[in-house]
Amino acid sequence: MAYSTALSDRVRERLSMVENIEIEEKKMFSGLSFLVNGKMCINISHDNLMCRYDPELEDEVSEKKGFLPMIMKGKQLNGYCYVEPIGFQKADDFEYWLKICLDYNPMAKASKK
C-alpha cells in the first residue's frame, strides 16, 4: 500500500486543528483514509488526495487545477475526485480541498458496516 507519508502528515496536521471532531486513520482505497466522525472524509492515494465533497460542487471542483474524476465501474462518481499534487501544492489550494471535504462531512452518509 503506497501513499505519501509527507502528504498524510500534512493532512493529519491540518485535521488536528479542527475542534470537536473525531479522527480515525484507516488503510483503505489503496492508501490511507482519514475518517471524520466515522465517515470517510479524505484519503491519500500514492501522491494524490482523494476527496469526498458535496456533489453539488461538481462543476466548480472539476475546473480546479489537478482535478481527476473518480471512475468506478466505468462511471464518474460525483462527489469524489482525485487531486494531483499540482492542485494542492500552494497552501490556499490545499486548504480549499480540505475545507470542502470537512464542510461536506456532516451531511455525508456513513458507509454500512
Side-chain angles (χ1 to χ4, degrees):
M1 194 169 305
Y3 61 87
S4 167
T5 56
L7 182 54
S8 62
D9 288 345
R10 192 174 174 195
V11 170
R12 189 178 294 115
E13 180 180 335
R14 172 59 181 85
L15 290 177
S16 72
M17 296 178 199
V18 181
E19 295 180 0
N20 301 317
I21 63 170
E22 189 176 304
I23 302 164
E24 178 186 353
E25 295 181 24
K26 192 173 190 177
K27 291 184 178 182
M28 55 195 288
F29 300 114
S30 300
L32 182 66
S33 283
F34 290 86
L35 285 74
V36 173
N37 298 330
K39 298 175 266 186
M40 200 292 284
C41 185
I42 196 158
N43 178 280
I44 311 303
S45 180
H46 302 284
D47 292 329
N48 296 336
L49 292 175
M50 186 186 97
C51 299
R52 183 180 189 190
Y53 52 88
D54 186 343
E56 295 287 322
L57 298 175
E58 197 68 34
D59 289 340
E60 171 189 326
V61 168
S62 66
E63 297 295 319
K64 293 289 186 182
K65 184 172 28 174
F67 170 88
L68 295 171
M70 186 168 178
I71 308 294
M72 290 188 75
K73 298 180 183 177
K75 293 186 180 182
Q76 183 172 338
L77 190 58
N78 289 338
Y80 293 85
C81 74
Y82 291 103
V83 185
E84 295 176 303
I86 190 75
F88 57 82
Q89 286 176 334
K90 294 180 183 174
D92 287 349
D93 294 333
F94 182 76
E95 182 60 29
Y96 170 84
W97 292 110
L98 270 285
K99 183 177 180 338
I100 65 167
C101 292
L102 288 166
D103 286 351
Y104 183 62
N105 188 260
M107 297 175 279
K109 292 184 179 162
S111 64
K112 298 173 185 167
K113 305 248 178 202

